[in-house]
Amino acid sequence: MGTVVIELTNRCSLSCGHWLAGRHGGGEMLPPAIFAVLVREAAGAGFGKFSFTGGEPTLHPQLGEILRMTYAAGCRFGMVTNGWTFPAINGKILAYADRLSHITLSLDGARRETHDALRGPGSFDRLMKAFSIGVATGIPFTVNMTVNARNRGELGEAAGLVQDLGGRGCGSGR
Ligand code: SF4
């Protein structure tokens, strides 16, 4: 079964150093009515999974409704997130946990100073909080890491960190 990758929004609360200008700084949200058509047609065409991305997909105000439609169509789902809003939205994900593939958290360094240099102050601590919620609630998570000159010396350290935190590997969230 194939995966459909959907950008739920181009809005984000962060402005990372590697963001794509004009793509992650908007305010557009995918209307649920359009998603209803998408999920129906995708499921009818044999696609069995949705991967939600953005922007920051957890900022979509109708995220719960979108997950409900995904669930009702019999599809699984995954999501890529920077983790900032995870304490507020993990309940929406848990409501459909039996169709959840995994959450992909964006990590940009094994050390706070490295990650925050790219994503902004407080980002690393927010991400660690999201990891701990994932472990406590049984939400499976993986990690994405954009390798760059600043963090390439921390790859092994980052893999060890994710393993220690209880991550289930590295992937694209798809
Ligand atoms: S957290 Fe992700 S979506 Fe937001 S600005 Fe950074 S790269 Fe873009």
Side-chain angles (χ1 to χ4, degrees), residues 58-83:
T58 63
L59 295 179
H60 196 296
Q62 281 95 35
L63 178 64
E65 173 66 1
I66 285 167
L67 296 182
R68 187 197 63 74
M69 286 190 272
T70 305
Y71 189 93
C75 295
R76 291 165 57 74
F77 69 97
M79 194 177 302
V80 183
T81 175
N82 60 34

Side-chain angles (χ1 to χ4, degrees), residues 8 14 19 24 51-52 65 91 111 125 128 131 140 147 153 161 167:
L8 291 185
L14 303 185
W19 76 337
H24 296 181
S51 177
F52 298 117
E65 173 66 1
R111 302 168 196 167
D125 290 345
M128 294 302 108
F131 276 122
V147 179
L161 173 67

Side-chain angles (χ1 to χ4, degrees), residues 10-20 24-25 54-57 81-82 106 108 118-119:
N10 60 4
R11 182 180 165 201
C12 188
S13 47
L14 303 185
S15 55
C16 300
H18 54 7
W19 76 337
L20 303 176
H24 296 181
E56 172 54 43
T81 175
N82 60 34
S106 299
D108 278 322
L118 201 58
R119 292 186 170 260

